[in-house]
Amino acid sequence: MAHQESLYGKTSDQLAALCGELGMPRFAARQIARWLYVRHTEDPLRMTDIAAVHRQRLAERFSPALSAPVRVTESADGTKKYLFRTFGGHYVESAYIPDGERATLCVSSQAGCRMGCRFCATGRQGLQQSLSAAEILNQVVSLPEREKLTNLVFMGMGEPLDNTGEVLRALEILTSEWGFGWSPTRITLSTSGVVPELRRFLDATKVHLAVSLHNPFREERMEIMPVERAWPIAEVVAILREYDFTHQRRVSFEYIVMSGLNDSPRHIRELTRLLNGIKCRINLIRFHRIPGSPYFSPNDEAMVRFRDALTARGIQTTIRASRGEDIQAACGLLSTRENSGI
């Protein structure tokens, strides 16, 4: 699908450069940003405080980026899974998770994923396309429940740090006063540990970080997460030790528990050793079965025992409630491999 350049998704600096290129006054960049990210109006012809000649030039050059979801599926627990089409003709899914006064949107950064984690349906799909900043933001802006959102998590399809440039642009727009004006503490980015991009992300933003850990032993982690071969979790943790997570910014570790695979006392001991000295939280996630998977989910009692054993060793540990499993919206279940014929 051919796609003309979009105005939506450009940062303040990019808009300023564009204004210079088109002979517009520099203050017009702030005006455009307000139309785009405060009023969510991307049609230049409706930007009435910009000179008519400049509105026309912008309209001729840029095409719309925002589009409504093509499908919504609702879970018995109130979770909603939205399907969006990308400019490249692929599809991504987002999960809207209401929980009392809190409402979280789990957004995608890629259509598919190339990390190949064995327990993840998205990883089985492979990578079709990295999303632009506009396509990432579209999942937020075009959400029917947009005004109810309190939190955003980059935990949907794709590895955010395999698409760092566009993800950072989206985060800048989300958290800047000229953009959405969100506090960085409302946003969490999850990564499997792309070491070359990790420092770039930590230096460029103040949003929370969640690291997909899932096994503290190198050989065992390689079996379920091929990323370990290139970027060992020990290197990821070494980088995190260079940063301060004792104030507003938090780091957590995601740990999908697979019965008999990563939930033994020796895993508890190694997790304690690996994370010693880092102020963090471990979020335990019950494994959600995908077709053909050799892994199994532990029962509730086993999850509680694992949590309590980690807590007793001084690591704050919680069990994340599964949401949207009946519509394939829970952790590790997002996949659009079957949607190409829509």
Side-chain angles (χ1 to χ4, degrees):
M1 181 191 303
H3 178 69
Q4 191 180 358
E5 187 181 6
S6 298
L7 201 55
Y8 207 95
K10 291 191 179 298
T11 65
S12 179
D13 287 346
Q14 289 175 315
L15 292 174
L18 174 66
C19 288
E21 178 187 337
L22 297 181
M24 300 170 64
R26 287 189 64 84
F27 64 78
R30 285 297 180 114
Q31 293 174 308
I32 295 172
R34 181 169 179 79
W35 282 104
L36 292 174
Y37 307 126
V38 178
R39 298 171 178 169
H40 300 295
T41 299
E42 60 173 342
D43 181 1
L45 297 180
R46 295 177 61 190
M47 300 179 182
T48 51
D49 55 358
I50 294 174
V53 62
H54 294 142
R55 275 183 272 159
Q56 188 61 43
R57 286 179 186 169
L58 291 171
E60 291 170 357
R61 176 165 170 176
F62 297 102
S63 63
L66 304 181
S67 61
V70 298
R71 189 171 70 201
V72 59
T73 311
E74 186 165 2
S75 166
D77 65 24
T79 299
K80 293 181 181 179
K81 183 172 69 172
Y82 286 97
L83 183 73
F84 292 91
R85 184 166 183 169
T86 72
F87 299 140
H90 301 293
Y91 293 89
V92 295
E93 292 179 329
S94 307
Y96 171 75
I97 309 166
D99 185 15
E101 295 182 356
R102 182 184 176 99
T104 300
L105 182 66
C106 180
V107 300
S108 295
S109 56
Q110 296 178 310
C113 183
R114 71 167 124 215
M115 296 298 110
C117 296
R118 309 286 187 238
F119 48 80
C120 178
T122 311
R124 286 189 175 187
Q125 180 177 334
L127 178 66
Q128 280 77 56
Q129 175 196 338
S130 288
L131 302 189
S132 67
E135 289 171 318
I136 294 169
L137 293 170
N138 182 57
Q139 297 167 69
V140 181
V141 180
S142 298
L143 187 78
E145 297 87 357
R146 183 183 76 203
E147 298 303 322
K148 298 179 181 179
L149 287 178
T150 61
N151 297 85
L152 200 65
V153 293
F154 281 72
M155 296 182 181
M157 300 175 66
E159 163 57 65
L161 298 189
D162 189 36
N163 186 23
T164 312
E166 295 301 316
V167 167
L168 289 181
R169 273 187 278 278
L171 289 173
E172 182 180 352
I173 292 166
L174 284 164
T175 59
S176 294
E177 54 86 17
W178 50 261
F180 285 37
W182 277 39
S183 166
T185 60
R186 297 172 63 183
I187 305 173
T188 301
L189 179 141
S190 176
T191 179
S192 59
V194 182
V195 166
E197 300 296 319
L198 184 56
R199 277 197 185 89
R200 180 183 175 192
F201 160 75
L202 289 170
D203 292 339
T205 81
K206 290 184 171 61
V207 306
H208 300 314
L209 174 68
V211 177
S212 296
L213 203 167
H214 312 311
N215 202 305
F217 294 105
R218 176 165 169 75
E219 294 298 324
E220 294 180 16
R221 191 170 186 259
M222 279 194 292
E223 287 296 316
I224 59 172
M225 299 180 70
V227 68
E228 175 73 16
R229 298 181 185 276
W231 303 304
I233 191 63
E235 290 187 23
V236 175
V237 171
I239 291 174
L240 297 182
R241 292 187 188 282
E242 301 173 13
Y243 291 82
D244 183 4
F245 294 101
T246 61
H247 299 291
Q248 283 192 316
R249 188 182 213 175
R250 298 192 304 267
V251 61
S252 59
F253 292 87
E254 310 295 297
Y255 200 91
I256 294 177
V257 184
M258 291 165 268
S259 184
L261 187 74
N262 64 351
D263 59 349
S264 72
R266 68 185 184 89
H267 290 95
I268 292 169
R269 291 192 296 270
E270 184 62 12
L271 281 168
T272 306
R273 186 201 65 79
L274 179 69
L275 304 181
N276 183 45
I278 297 179
K279 182 176 173 57
C280 64
R281 173 200 302 262
I282 293 180
N283 291 317
L284 301 180
I285 304 165
R286 182 171 57 82
F287 172 65
H288 300 115
R289 190 75 189 275
I290 56 179
S293 169
Y295 311 126
F296 295 91
S297 176
N299 59 32
D300 292 344
E301 292 78 11
M303 290 287 288
V304 170
R305 282 197 303 270
F306 197 64
R307 179 200 64 191
D308 291 350
L310 286 166
T311 300
R313 287 175 170 261
I315 301 178
Q316 184 180 6
T317 307
T318 59
I319 298 173
R320 182 184 294 168
S322 293
R323 298 290 302 273
E325 188 173 2
D326 57 330
I327 59 169
Q328 301 296 295
C331 181
L333 298 184
L334 295 181
S335 175
T336 55
R337 184 165 53 182
E338 305 304 322
N339 289 304
S340 57
I342 288 181

